[in-house]
Amino acid sequence: MHPELEIVLLVVLLLTALTALTIKNLLTAVVSLTVFSFVSALLYAAMGAVDVGFTEATVGAGVTGVLLLILIFKTTRRSSD
């Protein structure tokens, strides 16, 4: 529909993916993956697949982000030998 909007969302999507891959802090990586999923949902909605975008927003950005955050806070920094 709006090719300029789709291009901007695609660039943001690529930047968040590269950030999630290169960052060392797990919490920042999870937040970056959640932003990636939300931008992906916006891109789906901009392309006309509103139902897929809504599903991506709820499952990808919502449930998965919360579960990953819970798992990070349940782990410790050092392994027990």
Side-chain angles (χ1 to χ4, degrees):
M1 221 148 132
H2 301 287
E4 298 86 13
L5 176 65
E6 292 175 8
I7 290 171
V8 168
L9 288 174
L10 182 62
V11 168
V12 172
L13 195 68
L14 289 172
L15 288 175
T16 56
L18 289 174
T19 303
L21 288 173
T22 58
I23 202 76
K24 298 289 184 195
N25 188 358
L26 289 179
L27 184 61
T28 309
V30 167
V31 170
S32 179
L33 285 174
T34 305
V35 171
F36 175 86
S37 189
F38 185 69
V39 172
S40 176
L42 289 176
L43 189 61
Y44 288 138
M47 288 186 190
V50 179
D51 54 342
V52 177
F54 181 73
T55 304
E56 178 67 27
T58 55
V59 174
V63 176
T64 306
V66 169
L67 287 176
L68 287 173
L69 286 174
I70 290 171
L71 288 174
I72 285 176
F73 287 120
K74 291 221 177 251
T75 58
T76 59
R77 280 192 114 15
R78 298 184 189 239
S79 62
S80 58
D81 294 325

